Amino acid sequence: NNIFSAFWSFLYFIGFCYLTNQWSNAETPPFGVNNMQAAIAFSFFSIFPWAGAAYLAFLRYRQGADQAFAPSYEADPTNMGGYNSYPDATDPDGGYSQPPFAGQPAQPQSGMQQAPPY
């Protein structure tokens, strides 16, 4: 990805230089001026995103592949402090709990019609 992005950045730079040189050497055509100016502008503005992508890919390459296969999101996988996602197999509360308000009977308010049970 690093070489791919750097290659495209280089190609857009060469294309920009070539188009600008050809445009400056050409006599003024009666039509197509806006098309040529747009091609030059877009090739110039395409250099920077591709160069940025190449730089970020290079930084990712320097970081190494070991970070991609780390067991957690922490930078240091040897850090064992903090939150454990699976503390132990026993549940101190004794399993699942009932949803809230499940044990209370429905109390209709005055003037309100009670919803039918489904």
Side-chain angles (χ1 to χ4, degrees):
N1 194 11
N2 184 12
I3 296 172
F4 178 79
S5 300
F7 176 70
W8 275 105
S9 179
F10 178 71
L11 282 183
Y12 274 112
F13 176 72
I14 295 297
F16 168 73
C17 292
Y18 178 75
L19 289 173
T20 304
N21 186 25
Q22 291 299 316
W23 180 251
S24 66
N25 292 338
E27 64 275 351
T28 307
F31 58 90
V33 174
N34 289 336
N35 294 340
M36 193 61 191
Q37 289 174 346
I40 291 171
F42 286 130
S43 65
F44 176 73
F45 291 129
S46 295
I47 295 169
F48 301 108
W50 283 108
Y55 177 70
L56 292 176
F58 175 71
L59 289 180
R60 192 173 349 142
Y61 171 75
R62 278 187 41 200
Q63 187 179 14
D66 56 343
Q67 192 65 19
F69 299 106
S72 63
Y73 289 112
E74 290 84 26
D76 183 19
T78 61
N79 184 9
M80 299 308 261
Y83 175 74
N84 280 336
S85 58
Y86 299 102
D88 54 357
T90 60
D91 189 7
D93 294 332
Y96 292 106
S97 60
Q98 294 293 326
F101 310 112
Q104 300 175 356
Q107 299 174 357
Q109 297 177 354
S110 60
M112 299 289 290
Q113 186 177 8
Q114 185 176 5
Y118 292 106

